[in-house]
């Protein structure tokens, strides 16, 4: 690893995705070798070529290309260039006192939109929450809070197209939790959400494929430290979910 590499690379999307893939793997495969190789050589990105990485991981460039797609990149070039972090990132931002961070978060919460979503969801009886691995824990907390004898809540991984299509036929509303929403352009179910379902989105932006579709969009892009670290992003999303769930309980 380069000794003079930028330490913010350890907070890059590439490092996070490779680490999460390795964590969720149930057995050792060529893809876990590639994930481990990326982690080990992260300090050399983005100046790593696909042949060198494949050789290091004892595999082929075609397997590296397959791995790129598995963790959400269209190509190795896209993966390689995702090992950067916004220039305004401050390392010490991730190490501030927790009380200070929480106080900061509450200054930037989109309270009005949270209340709009709570009012719209209050009378929904069957809710489908769609998420990915990164926001699973937050989504699961949301599911636990919303579930009751009078309300059924389903939780689905955004890659499980078959399950999602099936559940579209039994629910009255859909909620998607995501930070960037970039993956939504690639998921088939995004373009076929039935018109009779209420659709709610919590994200930094509305993907083009869903332009004009959300009944309520809760923007989370107003918090300047959102992408400062996984800790900051999760704390902010958790706070948004807490406010929405609290308002729904109050209304019902």
């Amino acid at each position: 690893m380069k000794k003079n590499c930028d330490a913010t690379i350890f907070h890059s999307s590439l490092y996070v995705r490779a680490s999460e893939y390795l964590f969720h793997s149930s057995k050792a495969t060529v893809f876990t070798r590639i994930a481990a190789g990326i982690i080990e050589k992260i300090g050399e990105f983005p100046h790593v070529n696909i042949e060198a990485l494949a050789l290091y991981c004892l595999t082929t460039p075609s397997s590296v290309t397959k791995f790129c797609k598995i963790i959400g990149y269209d190509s190795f070039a896209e993966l390689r260039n995702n090992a950067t972090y916004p220039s305004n990132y401050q390392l010490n931002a991730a190490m501030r006192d927790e009380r200070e961070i929480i106080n900061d978060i509450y200054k930037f919460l989109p309270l009005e939109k949270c209340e709009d979503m709570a009012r719209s969801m209050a009378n929904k009886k069957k809710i489908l929450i769609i998420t990915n691995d990164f926001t699973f824990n937050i989504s699961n907390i949301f599911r636990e809070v919303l579930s009751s004898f009078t309300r059924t809540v389903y939780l689905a991984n955004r890659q499980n197209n078959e399950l999602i299509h099936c559940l579209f036929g039994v629910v009255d509303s859909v909620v998607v939790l995501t930070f960037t929403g970039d993956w939504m352009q690639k998921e088939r179910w995004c373009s076929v959400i039935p018109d009779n379902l209420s659709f709610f989105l919590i994200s930094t932006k509305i993907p083009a494929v869903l332009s004009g579709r959300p009944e309520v969009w809760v923007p989370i892009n107003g918090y300047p430290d959102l992408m400062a670290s996984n800790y900051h992003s999760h704390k902010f999303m958790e706070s948004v979910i807490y406010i929405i769930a609290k308002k729904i309980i109050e209304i019902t």
Side-chain angles (χ1 to χ4, degrees):
M1 182 179 293
K2 293 181 179 179
K3 292 183 179 180
N4 61 345
C5 72
D6 187 347
T8 62
I9 201 168
F10 298 105
H11 301 271
S12 65
S13 294
L14 173 58
Y15 192 80
V16 170
R17 291 190 195 189
S19 298
E20 290 183 345
Y21 180 85
L22 201 61
F23 176 79
H24 290 290
S25 298
S26 58
K27 59 182 179 179
T29 66
V30 62
F31 299 126
T32 58
R33 289 207 307 272
I34 295 170
I38 290 172
I39 292 169
E40 292 165 16
K41 297 179 76 68
I42 193 67
E44 299 177 25
F45 280 82
H47 308 292
V48 174
N49 65 57
I50 192 169
E51 291 80 11
L53 182 62
L55 181 62
Y56 183 78
C57 299
L58 303 177
T59 186
T60 62
S62 62
S63 292
V64 174
T65 299
K66 289 178 183 177
F67 179 75
C68 294
K69 296 184 183 301
I70 288 172
I71 62 172
Y73 297 107
D74 288 332
S75 65
F76 180 73
E78 184 183 355
L79 175 147
R80 182 177 60 193
N81 292 321
N82 205 216
T84 58
Y85 212 87
S87 59
N88 62 352
Y89 176 77
Q90 298 294 325
L91 278 177
N92 61 4
M95 304 303 294
R96 289 185 297 155
D97 182 87
E98 183 175 13
R99 288 168 297 181
E100 183 183 347
I101 293 173
I102 297 299
N103 289 337
D104 244 9
I105 282 174
Y106 272 79
K107 295 175 186 176
F108 296 100
L109 285 173
L111 296 177
E112 186 175 336
K113 286 294 184 180
C114 289
E115 291 178 8
D116 287 346
M117 182 170 166
R119 284 194 294 270
S120 297
M121 286 187 63
N123 296 319
K124 302 302 179 184
K125 300 301 181 183
K126 292 190 175 183
I127 301 167
L128 169 60
I129 300 174
I130 300 176
T131 188
N132 53 22
D133 290 339
F134 191 60
T135 52
F136 171 77
N137 288 337
I138 300 170
S139 300
N140 199 37
I141 291 171
F142 198 30
R143 178 196 60 78
E144 288 182 357
V145 174
L146 292 180
S147 296
S148 68
F149 291 112
T150 60
R151 185 186 297 116
T152 303
V153 185
Y154 304 94
L155 186 61
N157 187 298
R158 55 100 166 177
Q159 294 181 319
N160 196 335
N161 278 279
E162 186 175 347
L163 174 62
I164 290 171
H165 279 282
C166 179
L167 290 174
F168 278 166
V170 300
V171 300
D172 54 25
S173 56
V174 177
V175 181
V176 173
L177 280 73
T178 177
F179 284 97
T180 66
D182 293 337
W183 54 264
M184 300 187 75
Q185 297 293 131
K186 305 171 186 177
E187 299 296 347
R188 296 192 304 274
W189 57 263
C190 290
S191 58
V192 294
I193 300 173
D195 292 336
N196 65 310
L197 298 185
S198 294
F199 178 68
F200 305 98
L201 178 64
I202 303 173
S203 68
T204 55
K205 60 187 176 184
I206 302 176
V209 68
L210 291 168
S211 179
R213 185 63 177 82
E215 182 173 320
V216 178
W217 169 46
V218 179
I220 57 174
N221 52 0
Y223 179 46
D225 288 333
L226 183 69
M227 305 307 287
S229 69
N230 286 344
Y231 176 82
H232 284 74
S233 58
H234 275 76
K235 277 294 181 183
F236 191 77
M237 182 73 90
E238 284 175 1
S239 299
V240 168
I241 291 303
Y242 172 79
I243 294 297
I244 294 170
K246 183 172 181 290
K247 291 294 181 182
I248 289 175
I249 292 172
E250 289 175 356
I251 293 170
T252 55

